Amino acid sequence: MNNRYEVKVIADLEFAAPNGKPLLLDLYLPIGAEGPVPVIVWLHGGGWRIGDRKLGPDFRVRFAEQGYAMASIEYRLSSEAIFPAQIHDVKAAIRWLRSVADEYGLDSGKIGLWGSSAGGHLAALAGTTGFGRLEGLELGNSDFSSEVQAVVDGYGPTDFLQMEDESEITPSDDPESNRLNYVERHTDPNSRESQLLGARIQTVPHLVREANPITYIDNKIPPFLILHGMNDTAVPVNQSELLYRALVENGNEAAFCLIEGLGHAFFNKNDLDEQPLEVTLRKAGRGESEQIENGSMRIFELVESFFRRHLFKIESKVDKYSV
């Protein structure tokens, strides 16, 4: 995994067309990598109502140059369709990638999800529901599975009814945060969560439960890495805490990285790893006791080491903080 590959970009691949609307993804392929390569699917943030597949880090560097196929996908925004359209689109993309695996040299048995904010929520939801729930098979490739082998959830919401209200908001300095209006309550009819569900969240608790990744957790969930900035005022840290605790309590493998000094949407920052950051890392193997470690580390490096372990099955070289 020390090789750095040249990267071929194949843009504007259509993976589904709900109601005639083409949904596209961009595929970043490492040139010269041996054998079928693992796939990481990127799910952008934006509160389910803004953003597109271009919103995120440089996918050549993160992590196509390191031997992964990166697929950055679109999903329908809440102004176009309400939940569960978004998770249907995510699963349609996963099934499509499996259907074209031979054509593009992809390893259909090693697919990971990596999401930011709203994309983190969708990554977690796809990871906990697996194949057959919230599926949307009418979008195509119904003979292929939407199961994934690893999930990285960056500061995604989980239980909308347990999100704290914030009165003084200072958005992070990044494109996603600057385009979102944070001066709102999560229970407002125009909140991101209410727009996603098509109604004020407190009036539709059944939909809140259906959209909550925790609802579906059993003891057969793929490994999770959850990351959250301790200064995040858009999505409270307790949302990630709830998910991590439910995963571990049900005997699953999970890690939870709390990062000092970071706010929201930090995965959009290509310079994130210029300096190590202080973190608290909580982790538990499948059915094992929790370990807690404190120290400094680089965040993209942690994400790549997690995917390397679970998609390449090679032990991480990030010694103290391997997850």
Side-chain angles (χ1 to χ4, degrees):
M1 290 304 297
N2 292 324
N3 294 335
R4 288 284 174 171
Y5 297 96
E6 296 293 324
V7 177
K8 177 182 180 181
V9 182
I10 307 175
D12 304 329
L13 293 168
E14 181 178 318
F15 65 86
N19 301 315
K21 171 189 166 56
L23 293 175
L24 307 180
L25 64 79
D26 297 336
L27 194 59
Y28 299 73
L29 299 174
I31 298 173
E34 294 184 7
V37 295
V39 185
I40 299 173
V41 181
W42 168 261
L43 308 178
H44 69 81
W48 310 278
R49 64 187 181 191
I50 66 168
D52 56 33
R53 66 190 188 279
K54 307 299 184 183
L55 180 58
D58 182 344
F59 301 114
R60 292 174 177 83
V61 178
R62 322 288 185 193
F63 297 103
E65 288 181 353
Q66 294 172 262
Y68 304 86
M70 301 297 299
S72 183
I73 77 164
E74 295 178 344
Y75 51 83
R76 282 170 285 177
L77 302 177
S78 58
S79 60
E80 301 169 303
I82 60 173
F83 181 84
Q86 294 73 23
I87 189 62
H88 288 175
D89 297 346
V90 169
K91 292 193 171 189
I94 297 167
R95 297 194 308 269
W96 183 86
L97 286 164
R98 285 201 163 96
S99 77
V100 298
D102 290 343
E103 178 180 355
Y104 293 107
L106 312 177
D107 188 336
S108 62
K110 295 179 181 177
I111 297 180
L113 293 178
W114 180 16
S116 167
S117 191
H121 163 258
L122 294 173
L125 189 59
T128 61
T129 53
F131 179 68
R133 293 180 291 195
L134 298 177
E135 194 68 45
L137 292 175
E138 70 277 3
L139 296 183
N141 299 298
S142 59
D143 293 339
F144 293 87
S145 173
S146 60
E147 299 277 353
V148 296
Q149 284 63 60
V151 176
V152 173
D153 167 13
Y155 38 87
T158 52
D159 187 343
F160 301 162
L161 291 175
Q162 294 195 54
M163 295 184 74
E164 302 165 4
D165 293 323
E166 301 289 346
S167 55
E168 296 183 5
I169 304 298
T170 304
S172 303
D173 184 18
D174 69 88
E176 179 183 334
S177 295
N178 292 341
R179 291 172 61 192
L180 283 173
N181 174 21
Y182 285 150
V183 186
E184 62 187 18
R185 292 180 178 273
H186 299 288
T187 53
D188 286 349
N190 292 324
S191 74
R192 303 179 295 277
E193 298 79 21
S194 295
Q195 287 187 338
L196 175 68
L197 301 184
R200 295 180 68 172
I201 58 175
Q202 65 269 40
T203 68
V204 286
H206 62 293
L207 292 180
V208 171
R209 185 177 188 278
E210 187 178 7
N212 186 350
I214 298 169
T215 299
Y216 309 94
I217 291 177
D218 56 21
N219 63 355
K220 300 176 182 178
I221 305 300
F224 265 66
L225 171 61
I226 306 163
L227 303 100
H228 216 118
M230 295 179 69
N231 295 349
D232 193 333
T233 53
V235 176
V237 170
N238 81 306
Q239 294 290 290
S240 289
E241 170 72 31
L242 290 169
L243 176 60
Y244 170 73
R245 190 164 62 237
L247 288 165
V248 171
E249 287 176 352
N250 280 275
N252 297 290
E253 179 177 343
F256 180 25
C257 182
L258 274 170
I259 310 162
E260 294 185 18
L262 285 189
H264 197 63
F266 53 78
F267 277 140
N268 296 334
K269 300 176 182 295
N270 281 307
D271 61 354
L272 180 63
D273 275 6
E274 284 189 357
Q275 297 292 333
L277 297 170
E278 294 302 311
V279 307
T280 298
L281 184 67
R282 299 166 57 185
K283 60 182 180 179
R286 193 169 294 276
E288 297 177 356
S289 300
E290 182 184 59
Q291 302 176 43
I292 301 177
E293 300 169 352
N294 297 282
S296 60
M297 65 176 308
R298 289 177 167 84
I299 305 307
F300 281 128
E301 184 177 310
L302 175 67
V303 172
E304 194 277 327
S305 71
F306 171 82
F307 280 129
R308 187 187 328 141
R309 179 180 177 191
H310 294 291
L311 299 184
F312 278 97
K313 301 301 181 186
I314 297 175
E315 287 303 316
S316 169
K317 294 180 182 178
V318 185
D319 296 329
K320 185 176 180 182
Y321 294 105
S322 60
V323 292

